[in-house]
Amino acid sequence: MFDVAGSLVAALSSARTDLSAAAGAVSQSQTGFGQPRSDTLLASAARRAIFSEALLNAVHARLAEIKSVTHG
């Protein structure tokens, strides 16, 4: 079985950073300092959230595999 924990941790860290930046951009768009087109910002934030959810599902699946192997 391949060990993918390292790549998943790095991807989750990157996704957290991207999602945080997207949330910041969306919140700024509601002020005078942000871009006036908040629909593209919201779409970007949603895409990043979906990617983060997919990564969390991959981690969950990996942990389930490890659990099934270790419990026999």
Side-chain angles (χ1 to χ4, degrees):
M1 200 179 298
F2 296 106
D3 185 17
V4 295
S7 62
L8 286 175
V9 168
L12 282 169
S13 176
S14 176
R16 180 186 63 213
T17 303
D18 290 346
L19 194 55
S20 177
V26 168
S27 65
Q28 273 190 342
S29 73
Q30 303 303 314
T31 67
F33 300 109
Q35 300 175 1
R37 297 280 315 236
S38 64
D39 55 344
T40 56
L41 293 172
L42 289 172
S44 174
R47 182 176 20 113
R48 290 175 179 166
I50 290 169
F51 180 72
S52 297
E53 183 69 23
L55 281 174
L56 288 174
N57 286 333
V59 169
H60 180 73
R62 180 68 178 135
L63 291 174
E65 287 175 4
I66 293 170
K67 182 181 175 183
S68 69
V69 169
T70 56
H71 288 289

